[in-house]
Amino acid sequence: MEQLLNITTIPIKYELKINNAHLEYSGSNAELEISRSNGDFTIKSRPVRLNLDTYEARNSIRPTTKQSIKATAQQGKEAAYNVSAAYAQEGQLMLKAKIGDDVLGDIFKQRMQAPTGEFQLGFIPNAPVNMEYQPADLTIKYEMDKLNFDLKVEKGNFKFIPGDIQVSITQQPDLLIEYVGGPLYVPPSADPNYEPIDVRA
């Protein structure tokens, strides 16, 4: 009997790509930055100053309204004290009076006495003028230009790259089944070379 099927096996095919581990070194870089700072030149001058405070001097000649009210109040206060003292003294004289004494005459005589003391009329200030003197001042400030250097140096770096394995499949496995026999006829009697089978034996 002849073979009717032809079976062919196709194996798998793959490729391996291997990258070995290696160590990479990157060198250092150096950078130099130069900047310039501009200098400065300034001059400050202050003239002579003379401050005159004439408030007290003017107030001693012609007092202000505030000072006049204050002085009048003080004088009224002193006058009240003096009158109270005089009435007390006169009361004491009247308490000690005897029959026949002219106490009222003495009191009136004392009141009519002319005032004694020194009277001053003047138009010259009796308070000094406050003077404040500030001398002249001259300040000179000079700064030279400056150069700034900034050097940056980077250190070298080591980089480790691990190994790598890549698998690429170039051909998938397969199984081919091929029929190599002749055609099959249904019913068998349709075959041109059909020969009936003798079943009588």
Side-chain angles (χ1 to χ4, degrees), residues 133-170:
Y133 171 76
Q134 294 181 357
D137 186 20
L138 179 64
T139 303
I140 300 176
K141 182 179 179 182
Y142 173 69
E143 292 183 1
M144 297 179 61
D145 294 350
K146 296 180 181 178
L147 288 178
N148 302 318
F149 298 91
D150 188 5
L151 180 62
K152 299 179 181 179
V153 179
E154 298 180 357
K155 296 181 180 179
N157 297 322
F158 289 92
K159 182 179 181 181
F160 174 73
I161 300 177
D164 186 18
I165 298 176
Q166 297 180 1
V167 179
S168 300
I169 298 176
T170 60

Side-chain angles (χ1 to χ4, degrees), residues 23-170:
L23 187 67
E24 291 184 353
Y25 172 75
S26 58
S28 60
N29 296 326
E31 296 181 357
L32 178 62
E33 295 182 358
I34 301 176
S35 60
R36 180 177 179 178
S37 300
N38 296 326
D40 188 18
F41 181 72
T42 56
I43 298 177
K44 294 182 179 180
S45 176
R46 187 185 67 189
V48 176
R49 290 184 180 180
L50 180 62
N51 298 325
L52 300 176
D53 186 3
T54 61
Y55 176 78
E56 295 296 336
R58 289 184 289 107
N59 194 35
S60 64
I61 299 175
R62 185 178 182 183
T64 60
T65 304
K66 179 180 178 182
Q67 294 294 332
S68 298
I69 294 173
K70 185 177 180 181
T72 303
Q74 184 65 27
Q75 291 174 2
K77 193 174 181 181
E78 292 177 357
Y81 287 153
N82 294 332
V83 170
S84 298
Y87 282 154
Q89 186 178 3
E90 292 174 357
Q92 290 292 331
L93 291 175
M94 294 181 72
L95 287 175
K96 295 179 180 180
K98 296 178 181 180
I99 298 174
D101 292 340
D102 189 9
V103 178
L104 292 177
D106 294 337
I107 292 174
F108 289 140
K109 187 185 295 184
Q110 187 177 2
R111 288 184 181 181
M112 297 301 293
Q113 288 181 357
T116 60
E118 296 181 359
F119 298 93
Q120 294 181 358
L121 294 176
F123 300 96
I124 299 176
N126 56 9
V129 177
N130 295 327
M131 301 177 62
E132 183 179 353
Y133 171 76
Q134 294 181 357
D137 186 20
L138 179 64
T139 303
I140 300 176
K141 182 179 179 182
Y142 173 69
E143 292 183 1
M144 297 179 61
D145 294 350
K146 296 180 181 178
L147 288 178
N148 302 318
F149 298 91
D150 188 5
L151 180 62
K152 299 179 181 179
V153 179
E154 298 180 357
K155 296 181 180 179
N157 297 322
F158 289 92
K159 182 179 181 181
F160 174 73
I161 300 177
D164 186 18
I165 298 176
Q166 297 180 1
V167 179
S168 300
I169 298 176
T170 60

